[in-house]
Amino acid sequence: MDSSQTNSKKPPLVIGGMADSGGTNPKFQSGAPDSTLGDGFSNPGLKRDSRNYENDDDDINSLSTKKPRTTTIGNTSQGCQKIVPLDVKPLTIVPPETPKLSRQFWKAGEDDESVPLPHYCSNDAAVRVHPQFLHANATSHKWALGALAELLDNSLDEVNNGATYVHVNTATNERDGKSNILIVEDNGGGMNPSTFRECLSLGYSRKRNMANRVGQYGNGFKTSTMRLGADAIVFSRCRGTNGNNPTQSIGMLSYTFLYETRKCEAIVPTVDYELVNNEWKEIVYNSRDEWSDNLETIMKWSPYLSEQDLLDQFDHLEEQGTRIVIYNLWEDDEGKLELDFDTDPHDIQLRGVNRDEKNIEMAKANPNSRHFLSYRHSLRSYASILYLERPSNFRIILRGKDVQHHSILDDMMMMEEKTYKPMRSPEWSSDQAEMCATIKLGFVKDARHHIDIQGFNVYHKNRLIKPFWRVWTAAGSDGRGVIGILEANFIQPAHNKQGFERTAVLAKLEGRFDHLEEQGTRIVIYNLWEDDEGKLELDFDTDPHDIQLRGVNRDEKNIEMAKANPNSRHFLSYRHSLRSYASILYLERPSNFRIILRGKDVQHHSILDDMMMMEEKTYKPMRSPEWSSDQAEMCATIKLGFVKDARHHIDIQGFNVYHKNRLIKPFWRVWTAAGSDGRGVIGILEANFIQPAHNKQGFERTAVLAKLEGRLIHHQKQYWSSRCQEIGYAPRRKQKSYYESNVTETTRPLNKTNLNRGPSPTAAPAPSRQNVESFVRNQNTQVNTQQASAVKIQPEIRSTNKNPLGRSFQETGSFNLEAELQKVKQKSAELVSELQREKAQLQLQLEESKAKIQNLENRQEGVNKIFHEERARRDVTENALRKRLREASDEIDGLKRQVETFKGKHML
C-alpha cells in the first residue's frame, strides 16, 4: 500500500495482461488539477482516452460498456451487408465439466488428471508465472494468522503517508448472499497505477532499504491473500502529488478465475480511473475493448455485480487509502471456514489444531498468561503483541473494536536485563557490527501456579517474528514460567516473518555460551536420533576416525567397488561417509585451516586429480535485468573428462557444482541416458551466479539453473560421443545438440483437403480424447465457412441467368455440402459415443481406486494405532527400567558405603 508516485516511461508490467479504459463516478469531489498524470502516463506510446471532457456529448452519468462488434463484407453491386449463416441445426456435443477449485487450501494446489488441460501459451521466449505458483507461494504461511499479520504490516508502513487506522472486518458476499468475505482497509496514501501494478506483481518492493518499514521482499500481499482465500480484489485511491491528478485503481488476484478457466499464466485484470474536472474518467493504455474486457472479467469473478458496485467501494476510502476484499475463504476438512467469525463478534479466531480448549480455560484463570495461551488461535490476542511499539496515532480496529497494544513486560515479575552483543561477522556492514540486543527476562506473574509457560518474544525492526520462542526444552519442570523479550535487528527474518533464517548468528543467540576458551565455540548435540531398528542413525563404530550413516545412504556394493577403484571412491562413498564428503566439500581450503574428524585430519581432495583426457569449456550466462554489475560479469569454467577408472565401465558420472567455494550439488547427474551413454564423464565448476537453496543441498529452480543444466547436458553428450571409443566403448553417431533436441514438432492442422481426401498413410495419429471437441469444432467451422461461401456465390449465379452452367454448379455445390455435412455428423456421433464409453470405464476405475484408497487408509490407521500402543508400552517399560536402574545404583552406593565402614572398623 505504497503511495509514492513514480515516473516511468512505459506502462507498468504486471503478471499477465493489463488494460484500462474509462467511466465516471461523480461521488468523489475535489479540486480540478491538471489532467496530466505525470511522466508515468505521458508517454506518447500510451493510448489515452481521446474524448474532449469539456465538450463530451456522451452522458456523463452512464458507465462505459463494451461496444458490440459487427462483421460486414463488401459487395460491388450493393452496400455492405451482414453475413447470414445457413439455417443448420448445430451438432449436439457434450461439453466437458468446468473444473472446480477445492475450497481446502492444502488441496487447492492439486490438479485432477481428468479435467481439461490449461490453454497453453504460445511458444515464445517469454518466461511466465503459472497460476499454481500463486498457491505454492502461499504455502510458506503454515499459520493463517501469520498471513493476516502481513496485511497489518502493509497498513502500518503507511503511517508515514498519513495512515491513522487499519480496520479488519467481515461482510457477506453480494454475489451469493451467504458466504463470508474478509476486508482489510486503511486510510494510507494508497497507490497510483504504477505502484498498484507493482503491488500485484511478484518481488517488487520499495521498502527493502527504508528505515522503519516492516515489508522487505515484495511478496507479502500475494502470499497472505492467497493463504486466506482463493481470491482477492483490491481498491486503492491515491491523491494527486507533484502536479498529478488523483487516481483510483481496481485489481483482481483470483486463483479461482485462473484455475477454472484453465489459464497457463497468472493474469491480473486491472482498471484505472483519473479525476479530471471533478469527474472520474477511465485511463486507457491500449484499447477501450481491452479495458472493457478487464472490467467484465472483474465483474464476472468478483463479489460485485456491476461497475457501479465496484465504484461504490471507494466511498469507504474518502480521499485516499486501500481496501482489500478477500473472498472464497478456505475451508477445513469438515467443510467449515478455517477462520471462525462466530465465537467472538469482535475477534477472528482459528479452528483446528491451533485451538486448544484447555488453554482457553486456563487463560480465563491466568490473565497474565492469556497472550501465551491464546495468540495461536486469536487474532485480537496476536495483534496486541505484534508490534514492540505502536505509533500513538495509529489504531488497529478488529470488527468494530480497537485492539489494545500490550507489552509482555507488564506480565513479568522479578525482571532482569542482559546485554547480548554478537561477534562481528566479515559480511556485516559497519552499522550491523555495532548492534547489540537488550534481553529482558523474568517470571510470568502466574508462575506460582506452575503452568508450563515459557519463551522469548523476539522482534525484528519492531515486528514480532518469534512469539514465545521456546529455546530450552528441559526434562521435568525446569524453565517453567520464564519469559523474555528482545529486539534482534541483526538477524534476517524469513520471508513469511514467522521465523528467522537459520544462520550461525541465530544459533549463537539460541545457544548457551559455555565450554568456551579464550575464543571459540563448542556445540554439543545430544539425544541423537535413532533409526527404525533402535540403532543410532550415525554410525561411530565402523571406522574409529570417521562418522558414517546407516540405512538407505549406505550401499555395501559401492563400498566394495570403492576399494577396487580408488579414483572413484569419493563418488561411491560421499553419501554415507563424512570423511569422504568433507574432503570435497570446499573447492579450495585455506592452508592454515584444518578439519579434524575424530582425532585425524581430513585431507582436502579435488576431483581434478581423478580425471583424465580433461577439457575446459567456458559458460557465460545471459545477463538478467535483476543482476548487479558484479553478477553480470560472471562466467563459469567447466572442466570435464573421464574418471581414471572409466575403462572398467562402472556407472560413475556427474558434475560437482560449487557456489562461493562450497559444494552444493555433488556429482550432479544431468544426463540420464539409456544404456551406457555418459558413463565415466565427471566434471567440476563454480557457479556463483545461481542462488543455492536454504539447506545448501541444491539450487533454487530458476531459469538460469535450467539453462546451466541444458548447457552441461550438451557438453557431456558432445564429449561422450566424440571420445567414448578411447575408453573401450563403440563409437557413437553424432548427437543432436541440446538445443536441437528440444525443438518439438507440431501436428499438421486439419484442413479442407484433409477432410475431403480422408486419412492418408502418412497422416498424424487420431486425436486424443482431450482434442476431440477441438477436432469437431474445427470441422463445424469448415462446413460453416463453405456454407457461407455458398451464400456469397448464390447472388452472383442469379445475376448471370444467361449462363446455362450456373444452375448446374449451384446444384452440384449443394449436393457436395450436404454429403460432407452428413459425414461430419456421422463421425461426430461416433466420437461422442466412444467418449461416453470411455467415461463410463473411467468412472468405474475411479470407484475402484477410491475403494482401494479407503482400504489403505483403514490399514494405515490400524498400523498407526499399533505403533502408538507399542510406543506407549515401550515408554512405560523404559521408565520402569530407569527407575530400577536408579534403585540399583542407590543400592550399590549404599553397599559401597557399608564396605568402607567395614574396612574402617577392621583397620581399627
Side-chain angles (χ1 to χ4, degrees):
M1 305 178 186
D2 188 4
S3 66
S4 59
Q5 302 281 345
T6 60
N7 294 330
S8 58
K9 296 185 178 180
K10 294 182 181 179
L13 179 65
V14 298
I15 308 174
M18 61 177 185
D20 312 88
S21 189
T24 59
N25 179 17
K27 294 183 175 293
F28 175 51
Q29 303 292 337
S30 68
D34 184 43
S35 62
T36 304
L37 273 178
D39 295 341
F41 302 91
S42 61
N43 189 300
L46 301 181
K47 298 181 180 179
R48 301 298 306 277
D49 193 344
S50 59
R51 292 186 298 174
N52 185 347
Y53 292 123
E54 296 180 358
N55 300 316
D56 196 352
D57 296 333
D58 297 335
D59 183 2
I60 63 172
N61 293 320
S62 63
L63 301 175
S64 62
T65 56
K66 185 176 179 181
K67 297 180 180 180
R69 305 171 185 171
T70 305
T71 304
T72 60
I73 59 173
N75 192 303
T76 57
S77 60
Q78 5 178 347
C80 293
Q81 53 184 327
K82 297 181 179 178
I83 297 177
V84 181
L86 291 178
D87 186 15
V88 179
K89 185 177 180 181
L91 298 177
T92 303
I93 300 177
V94 179
E97 296 181 359
T98 303
K100 295 298 181 183
L101 180 66
S102 173
R103 293 266 65 86
Q104 297 177 25
F105 175 73
W106 297 106
K107 296 181 180 179
E110 301 173 1
D111 213 347
D112 190 352
E113 295 181 358
S114 64
V115 301
L117 294 175
H119 306 303
Y120 287 104
C121 310
S122 58
N123 185 19
D124 55 24
V127 177
R128 294 175 168 84
V129 176
H130 193 277
Q132 285 189 345
F133 176 75
L134 297 176
H135 178 270
N137 195 33
T139 57
S140 62
H141 284 292
K142 303 296 187 292
W143 183 38
L145 295 188
L148 264 169
E150 291 269 18
L151 301 179
L152 298 180
D153 293 342
N154 289 342
S155 298
L156 183 66
D157 284 341
E158 287 296 297
V159 168
N160 294 330
N161 296 315
T164 59
Y165 74 85
V166 57
H167 191 182
V168 183
N169 206 352
T170 182
T172 302
N173 191 329
E174 296 179 10
R175 183 169 294 275
D176 58 24
K178 58 181 181 179
S179 63
N180 291 91
I181 61 176
L182 183 65
I183 302 171
V184 181
E185 173 188 308
D186 66 56
N187 63 341
M191 293 173 279
N192 62 24
S194 177
T195 53
F196 187 73
R197 281 156 176 75
E198 290 180 4
C199 172
L200 295 176
S201 301
L202 293 172
Y204 287 92
S205 177
R206 299 169 182 266
K207 309 174 186 178
R208 187 161 300 168
N209 297 318
M210 297 176 67
N212 302 322
R213 294 297 180 100
V214 179
Q216 293 189 58
Y217 303 108
N219 202 32
F221 168 77
K222 276 72 67 175
T223 59
S224 57
T225 52
M226 293 295 99
R227 175 60 185 88
L228 297 169
D231 312 294
I233 184 170
V234 187
F235 305 86
S236 190
R237 174 176 284 171
C238 179
R239 295 172 184 255
T241 58
N242 299 326
N244 297 328
N245 285 348
T247 59
Q248 59 187 27
S249 303
I250 305 173
M252 183 183 70
L253 186 64
S254 173
Y255 187 44
T256 304
F257 157 65
L258 298 171
Y259 182 89
E260 296 189 1
T261 56
R262 309 308 288 157
K263 293 289 188 292
C264 75
E265 59 180 325
I267 298 174
V268 182
T270 59
V271 292
D272 300 313
Y273 300 86
E274 174 189 12
L275 186 66
V276 179
N277 297 332
N278 289 335
E279 298 293 341
W280 288 104
K281 301 295 182 179
E282 314 91 336
I283 302 176
V284 179
Y285 297 107
N286 297 319
S287 69
R288 190 174 298 278
D289 286 337
E290 189 176 352
W291 190 95
S292 300
D293 287 340
N294 280 358
L295 181 62
E296 288 178 6
T297 301
I298 293 173
M299 290 189 296
K300 180 177 179 181
W301 294 93
S302 75
Y304 307 105
L305 307 180
S306 66
E307 185 180 9
Q308 188 59 55
D309 290 342
L310 293 169
L311 295 174
D312 287 344
Q313 303 306 307
F314 289 103
D315 294 344
H316 300 277
L317 301 180
E318 299 179 354
E319 294 186 357
Q320 66 176 21
T322 300
R323 181 179 175 88
I324 302 172
V325 179
I326 305 170
Y327 54 102
N328 288 331
L329 303 177
W330 298 116
E331 299 175 353
D332 58 15
D333 295 337
E334 299 177 358
K336 298 179 181 179
L337 286 181
E338 188 178 18
L339 300 178
D340 176 10
F341 301 105
D342 303 324
T343 301
D344 189 336
H346 297 295
D347 194 6
I348 297 175
Q349 300 187 1
L350 293 184
R351 295 185 172 93
V353 295
N354 291 291
R355 186 182 185 89
D356 189 330
E357 297 298 334
K358 181 180 177 181
N359 283 351
I360 294 174
E361 294 301 320
M362 288 175 62
K364 296 176 182 177
N366 301 279
N368 293 292
S369 307
R370 69 182 186 278
H371 292 90
F372 177 91
L373 297 167
S374 61
Y375 82 93
R376 292 292 303 173
H377 73 273
S378 168
L379 178 60
R380 180 169 292 276
S381 176
Y382 179 50
S384 67
I385 60 174
L386 186 60
Y387 303 106
L388 189 59
E389 296 179 359
R390 191 195 300 171
S392 57
N393 63 338
F394 186 78
R395 302 163 59 200
I396 297 178
I397 307 171
L398 180 54
R399 302 185 72 182
K401 185 178 179 181
D402 280 54
V403 175
Q404 299 299 323
H405 179 259
H406 182 80
S407 173
I408 65 166
L409 294 175
D410 300 332
D411 300 328
M412 293 165 58
M413 62 181 182
M414 297 182 250
M415 191 169 62
E416 294 182 4
E417 282 193 10
K418 307 286 183 181
T419 300
Y420 170 67
K421 187 173 182 179
M423 186 178 298
R424 179 171 182 171
S425 172
E427 294 81 14
W428 285 5
S429 64
S430 57
D431 296 336
Q432 285 179 307
E434 301 302 322
M435 286 185 178
C436 65
T438 300
I439 305 172
K440 299 178 181 179
L441 72 161
F443 283 109
V444 67
K445 292 178 181 178
D446 300 318
R448 292 186 175 89
H449 302 304
H450 296 183
I451 55 179
D452 189 10
I453 293 176
Q454 60 174 298
F456 289 83
N457 274 10
V458 186
Y459 291 80
H460 177 84
K461 293 183 179 180
N462 197 48
R463 165 65 146 81
L464 179 61
I465 303 298
K466 292 281 283 187
F468 298 101
W469 184 21
R470 191 168 184 144
V471 294
W472 183 23
T473 304
S477 59
D478 290 2
R480 284 191 179 180
V482 178
I483 60 175
I485 187 171
L486 73 150
E487 186 175 19
N489 294 333
F490 47 83
I491 306 176
Q492 192 67 14
H495 280 214
N496 61 3
K497 298 190 183 71
Q498 298 303 307
F500 291 100
E501 298 291 347
R502 297 300 303 181
T503 61
V505 181
L506 180 65
K508 290 178 182 179
L509 178 63
E510 184 180 4
R512 299 175 60 187
F513 288 85
D514 51 353
H515 294 286
L516 295 180
E517 299 177 353
E518 294 180 2
Q519 183 178 351
T521 303
R522 180 184 178 93
I523 301 174
V524 179
I525 305 172
Y526 53 100
N527 289 336
L528 302 178
W529 299 115
E530 299 177 350
D531 59 16
D532 295 336
E533 299 177 358
K535 298 179 181 179
L536 286 179
E537 190 178 13
L538 299 178
D539 177 10
F540 300 99
D541 304 325
T542 302
D543 188 336
H545 298 295
D546 195 6
I547 298 176
Q548 299 186 3
L549 292 183
R550 294 184 172 94
V552 294
N553 293 292
R554 186 182 185 88
D555 189 330
E556 297 298 334
K557 181 180 177 182
N558 283 351
I559 294 174
E560 294 301 319
M561 288 176 62
K563 296 176 182 177
N565 301 279
N567 292 293
S568 305
R569 69 182 185 279
H570 292 90
F571 178 90
L572 297 166
S573 61
Y574 83 93
R575 295 288 301 172
H576 73 273
S577 168
L578 178 59
R579 180 169 293 275
S580 176
Y581 180 51
S583 67
I584 60 173
L585 186 59
Y586 303 105
L587 189 59
E588 295 179 359
R589 192 195 299 171
S591 58
N592 62 342
F593 184 79
R594 301 163 60 198
I595 298 178
I596 307 171
L597 179 56
R598 302 186 72 183
K600 185 178 179 180
D601 280 28
V602 175
Q603 299 299 323
H604 178 259
H605 181 80
S606 173
I607 65 166
L608 294 176
D609 300 333
D610 299 329
M611 292 165 58
M612 63 180 181
M613 304 181 217
M614 191 169 62
E615 294 182 4
E616 278 194 11
K617 309 285 185 180
T618 300
Y619 171 64
K620 187 172 183 179
M622 187 177 297
R623 180 169 183 173
S624 172
E626 295 80 13
W627 283 6
S628 64
S629 57
D630 296 336
Q631 286 177 306
E633 300 302 324
M634 286 186 180
C635 65
T637 300
I638 305 170
K639 298 178 181 179
L640 73 162
F642 284 113
V643 67
K644 292 178 181 177
D645 299 318
R647 291 187 174 89
H648 302 306
H649 295 184
I650 55 178
D651 189 10
I652 293 176
Q653 59 173 297
F655 291 85
N656 273 12
V657 187
Y658 291 80
H659 175 85
K660 294 183 179 179
N661 199 48
R662 165 68 149 78
L663 180 60
I664 304 297
K665 293 280 282 187
F667 297 101
W668 184 19
R669 190 167 184 145
V670 294
W671 182 26
T672 304
S676 60
D677 288 3
R679 284 190 179 180
V681 179
I682 60 175
I684 187 172
L685 73 149
E686 185 175 20
N688 294 334
F689 47 83
I690 307 178
Q691 190 66 21
H694 283 206
N695 62 1
K696 296 189 180 69
Q697 298 302 308
F699 292 99
E700 298 289 347
R701 295 302 302 180
T702 61
V704 181
L705 179 64
K707 291 178 182 178
L708 174 62
E709 183 176 4
R711 183 59 61 92
L712 293 178
I713 294 173
H714 169 68
H715 288 321
Q716 186 176 357
K717 286 183 177 180
Q718 191 178 53
Y719 182 88
W720 166 261
S721 60
S722 63
R723 309 196 66 165
C724 64
Q725 65 275 7
E726 298 181 32
I727 58 171
Y729 290 96
R732 298 304 197 260
R733 292 181 299 173
K734 184 179 179 181
Q735 298 283 339
K736 278 188 178 182
S737 71
Y738 170 76
Y739 306 100
E740 292 174 353
S741 62
N742 279 343
V743 177
T744 56
E745 297 182 359
T746 56
T747 306
R748 183 164 57 109
L750 216 65
N751 54 30
K752 181 178 178 180
T753 306
N754 303 127
L755 197 64
N756 292 338
R757 294 180 181 178
S760 66
T762 61
S768 61
R769 292 193 302 273
Q770 57 202 18
N771 294 327
V772 166
E773 293 184 355
S774 176
F775 169 79
V776 175
R777 283 196 298 271
N778 288 340
Q779 299 221 15
N780 290 341
T781 304
Q782 293 159 9
V783 173
N784 290 336
T785 303
Q786 293 171 353
Q787 293 169 354
S789 300
V791 173
K792 181 178 179 181
I793 292 171
Q794 284 178 1
E796 298 178 0
I797 295 177
R798 293 193 188 99
S799 63
T800 55
N801 292 330
K802 295 181 181 180
N803 186 0
L805 298 176
R807 184 176 302 170
S808 175
F809 176 77
Q810 181 179 6
E811 292 174 357
T812 303
S814 300
F815 177 80
N816 289 340
L817 286 173
E818 290 177 359
E820 201 167 302
L821 181 61
Q822 189 62 32
K823 290 179 181 178
V824 172
K825 287 183 177 180
Q826 183 177 358
K827 195 165 186 178
S828 300
E830 292 174 356
L831 290 172
V832 171
S833 177
E834 182 181 353
L835 282 174
Q836 290 175 346
R837 286 195 301 271
E838 292 185 359
K839 181 180 178 181
Q841 293 176 357
L842 290 174
Q843 287 178 343
L844 182 60
Q845 294 177 5
L846 177 62
E847 295 299 327
E848 293 176 353
S849 299
K850 287 182 178 179
K852 290 180 180 179
I853 291 172
Q854 185 62 38
N855 186 25
L856 290 174
E857 288 178 351
N858 293 338
R859 292 173 61 186
Q860 184 179 6
E861 289 178 1
V863 171
N864 289 339
K865 184 178 179 181
I866 294 172
F867 172 77
H868 289 304
E869 290 176 352
E870 181 64 22
R871 183 72 175 268
R873 185 193 64 76
R874 191 181 70 176
D875 290 344
V876 172
T877 304
E878 183 178 355
N879 291 333
L881 290 174
R882 286 180 177 176
K883 184 178 179 181
R884 291 174 60 186
L885 181 61
R886 286 195 297 269
E887 292 174 352
S889 178
D890 294 340
E891 187 174 352
I892 290 171
D893 291 340
L895 290 174
K896 285 181 178 179
R897 286 193 295 271
Q898 291 179 12
V899 169
E900 293 296 332
T901 303
F902 177 77
K903 285 182 179 179
K905 290 181 179 180
H906 181 70
M907 291 176 66
L908 292 175

